[in-house]
Amino acid sequence: MSVFGQMLSRYEIRTDDDHINAKHEVMQQITLAGLYRGGFFNKAAFYGGTCLRIFYGLQRFSEDMDFSLLQSGADFKLEDYFDPIINEFNALGREVVINKKEKTNQTNVESAFLKDNTAIYNVQFRTERNIKIKIEVDINPPSGFTTEHKFLLLPFSFMVRCFTLPDLYAGKIHALLFRSWKNRVKGRDWYDFEWYVRNNTVLNFEHLLQRTSQFGSLTQGELTQNNLIQLLRDKISETNMEMVKADVRPFIKNPGEMDIWSTEYFTHLADMIQFGKTAD
């Protein structure tokens, strides 16, 4: 069996969603391997839901790959790492193309789309040509985070620099409260929030403050631990939990774990947040 097939065989695939999720994750791991070979993790770290999934045991799949430079770097170019990623896929008998996504508005994030462009499986999987993962790198990161190195064993043994859990938690709370999805509901944010609370993760409040300050997230006043809880309560009260569940469902194996989800349930979770570092 090829290494690519070996990686895919680790997943229990029963449905179309299972297949798409497994394929995404294998692509993500190969991408991480390419970035490692290119020296990317000397200057950047992995964070976000996919990091939480691959290295910390989150029981939901994730599509996007989020990275942060360790220090601001306006001259950073994600294109410098395209060749190592492409070469890593080629070594496993796969061909990919990477296209930069041009953005109309100036942001801190350098973004690209990675698409699997080769029909490897038989004709019934032809739609896999459209499977893609999005890579984003924050080139002007907020301060106050720490990193650690985590291992992957396939497609070979290598290390990935990752945000620590308290800092990942801070990023998730910031996204949960302040990321605008217009008419969409990002239920996966709520799934992750429940995971952090259930696992007694300590929230790095200092890093959260850095994020809210840099992004100008608060229109008035300062963020405190007390008003953070109230902001979360307000967010929960205005969130449609059925839409939340619908967003998460394709990415988890056991939808029954969401049976308890309700406004009251998440309000209780908000009251259970454990705080870590605070600003002086």
Side-chain angles (χ1 to χ4, degrees):
M1 181 183 294
S2 68
V3 174
F4 190 94
Q6 182 183 353
M7 295 174 73
L8 200 60
S9 71
R10 295 179 301 170
Y11 299 89
E12 181 182 3
I13 299 175
R14 295 183 177 180
T15 67
D16 288 343
D17 284 339
D18 289 343
H19 177 264
I20 291 170
N21 289 331
K23 188 69 177 299
H24 273 137
E25 192 157 301
V26 170
M27 290 179 73
Q28 290 161 353
Q29 293 167 2
I30 297 170
T31 300
L32 290 172
L35 290 170
Y36 167 82
R37 286 201 196 270
F40 179 78
F41 296 109
N42 294 327
K43 61 175 63 176
F46 194 22
Y47 75 103
T50 304
C51 178
L52 197 63
R53 160 73 185 177
I54 293 176
F55 292 108
Y56 296 100
L58 180 72
Q59 292 300 301
R60 76 158 176 89
F61 288 93
S62 181
E63 296 172 307
D64 300 342
M65 303 186 76
D66 299 307
F67 300 94
S68 170
L69 295 185
L70 303 179
Q71 298 178 338
S72 296
D75 59 346
F76 174 85
K77 290 183 174 59
L78 191 60
E79 292 96 323
D80 293 343
Y81 300 91
F82 283 6
D83 282 348
I85 295 172
I86 292 169
N87 292 340
E88 199 61 46
F89 276 92
N90 287 344
L92 299 179
R94 303 301 300 258
E95 293 184 12
V96 295
V97 293
I98 308 176
N99 297 312
K100 185 175 181 180
K101 182 183 178 184
E102 299 296 338
K103 294 195 173 186
T104 54
N105 298 320
Q106 183 69 30
T107 71
N108 290 339
V109 177
E110 186 78 4
S111 181
F113 286 94
L114 175 65
K115 298 182 180 180
D116 189 337
N117 222 34
T118 305
I120 295 176
Y121 300 99
N122 59 29
V123 67
Q124 69 214 56
F125 297 133
R126 190 182 296 270
T127 56
E128 289 190 7
R129 286 175 174 269
N130 297 323
I131 291 179
K132 62 186 178 183
I133 57 175
K134 184 172 70 172
I135 304 171
E136 292 190 350
V137 183
D138 189 343
I139 61 175
N140 184 25
S143 61
F145 64 87
T146 55
T147 65
E148 60 184 342
H149 285 91
K150 308 289 282 187
F151 283 96
L152 274 181
L153 300 180
L154 289 173
F156 59 89
S157 296
F158 65 99
M159 291 191 301
V160 174
R161 186 192 295 268
C162 300
F163 274 39
T164 59
L165 280 174
D167 303 308
L168 286 167
Y169 195 5
K172 181 55 61 177
I173 291 294
H174 183 260
L176 192 64
L177 287 176
F178 303 113
R179 181 162 54 186
S180 174
W181 290 97
K182 298 183 179 179
N183 295 325
R184 289 180 54 199
V185 172
K186 190 69 178 291
R188 283 157 280 179
D189 285 345
W190 294 101
Y191 186 96
D192 296 359
F193 170 56
E194 180 197 40
W195 186 92
Y196 284 115
V197 175
R198 179 185 289 147
N199 286 275
N200 296 314
T201 307
V202 173
L203 172 67
N204 184 348
F205 190 67
E206 179 181 320
H207 183 51
L208 178 59
L209 289 176
Q210 292 289 339
R211 284 187 170 273
T212 56
S213 174
Q214 186 191 70
F215 287 91
S217 304
L218 287 178
T219 55
Q220 57 183 5
E222 296 181 359
L223 187 67
T224 66
Q225 293 181 7
N226 287 334
N227 67 18
L228 168 62
I229 300 301
Q230 187 56 52
L231 285 171
L232 267 174
R233 284 172 160 267
D234 293 343
K235 186 77 172 181
I236 292 164
S237 68
E238 65 189 30
T239 298
N240 184 320
M241 286 299 157
E242 292 308 311
M243 293 178 67
V244 165
K245 294 177 184 180
D247 178 74
V248 174
R249 195 167 285 112
F251 298 94
I252 60 176
K253 286 284 190 181
N254 179 23
E257 63 186 292
M258 298 188 294
D259 289 348
I260 195 174
W261 285 18
S262 65
T263 299
E264 180 181 16
Y265 174 64
F266 277 97
T267 300
H268 282 305
L269 293 182
D271 291 335
M272 296 173 67
I273 290 178
Q274 298 185 48
F275 291 95
K277 297 178 181 179
T278 58
D280 294 332

